[in-house]
Amino acid sequence: MNTRPALMVSIALLVLVGGCGQQSAQRLTRPPATAQAGPALIDAAPVPVGPGPSGTYTVQPQPAPGSCHSRTASNGQPLPDPACTPGATNPAVTQDNIDSTICRGGYTSSIRPPASITDREKDANAKSYGYTGNLHDAEYDHLISLELGGDPNDPRNLWVEPPSPGHKPGSGPNNPKDTVENQLHELICKHTVALTDAQSAIAADWTTALARLGHPNGK
């Protein structure tokens, strides 16, 4: 009796079963995706790291006059020039210490530069962006806010943000970006969204940051 065909069939079955078992093991050992990781952010440019808080702030040099050009988001809101204002993060804030830094009451006030510094920077930055409107209506804004771990006084993280569409001249800053920042801060402090993902998203386009992170309603 020729047993060779039966032997070959048995070997083939062993190989097939072994292969399936190996694939199953790979599936079981693959690390699960975390809720904090956002696949929509894989194309985001790395955000620069700033010098961090200082006991004594100094007026920072701004880009050359007329060298920066603001952009407009799809909903008409103003966005900064990514070459001049890519954002910058605070190295003193990390995912591991958010509960004792940005999620602790009073932290941002303790690191905010004084108006005596930022007022002079604002005047110079307005020239960088060629902004000729009323500075009373424009906010000297941290692109990555302090409550999201943005650097306090890195010139790459601050810009003269023009008023939003429909703004009443002379009524002062009215920035809807603040609401997005507050919602992102809440998500970070609930450990729902990773710190670096939120920073990358708001640096790229604050008007779409929540949607890119999978939380279009801020929840």
Side-chain angles (χ1 to χ4, degrees), residues 57-139:
Y57 289 106
T58 58
V59 176
Q60 295 300 298
Q62 302 298 312
S67 63
C68 306
H69 306 280
S70 60
R71 300 171 293 143
T72 303
S74 58
N75 62 357
Q77 294 289 349
L79 297 173
D81 186 327
C84 294
T85 318
T89 61
N90 177 358
V93 177
T94 67
Q95 184 67 49
D96 292 336
N97 70 13
I98 57 173
D99 292 330
S100 61
T101 53
I102 59 172
C103 298
R104 174 177 60 82
Y107 176 76
T108 58
S109 298
S110 71
I111 65 170
R112 188 178 299 278
S116 59
I117 297 295
T118 56
D119 284 351
R120 293 166 63 185
E121 293 174 346
K122 181 177 182 180
D123 288 341
N125 189 265
K127 295 180 176 64
S128 300
Y129 271 89
Y131 178 76
T132 57
N134 188 343
L135 282 178
H136 176 68
D137 289 336
E139 181 175 347

Side-chain angles (χ1 to χ4, degrees), residues 35-42 44-47 86-89 93 95 98 102-103 142-150 157 177 180-215:
Q36 295 179 345
L41 297 181
I42 57 175
V47 180
T89 61
V93 177
Q95 184 67 49
I98 57 173
I102 59 172
C103 298
H142 289 94
L143 180 59
I144 303 174
S145 65
L146 301 186
E147 67 178 334
L148 301 181
N157 195 41
K177 177 172 173 280
V180 175
E181 293 168 351
N182 293 338
Q183 291 172 321
L184 287 174
H185 179 259
E186 184 175 354
L187 290 169
I188 291 171
C189 293
K190 287 181 176 178
H191 296 263
T192 302
V193 167
L195 174 69
T196 54
D197 283 352
Q199 292 170 337
S200 295
I202 201 162
D205 185 338
W206 67 266
T207 68
T208 61
L210 288 165
R212 294 183 71 192
L213 292 165
H215 297 271

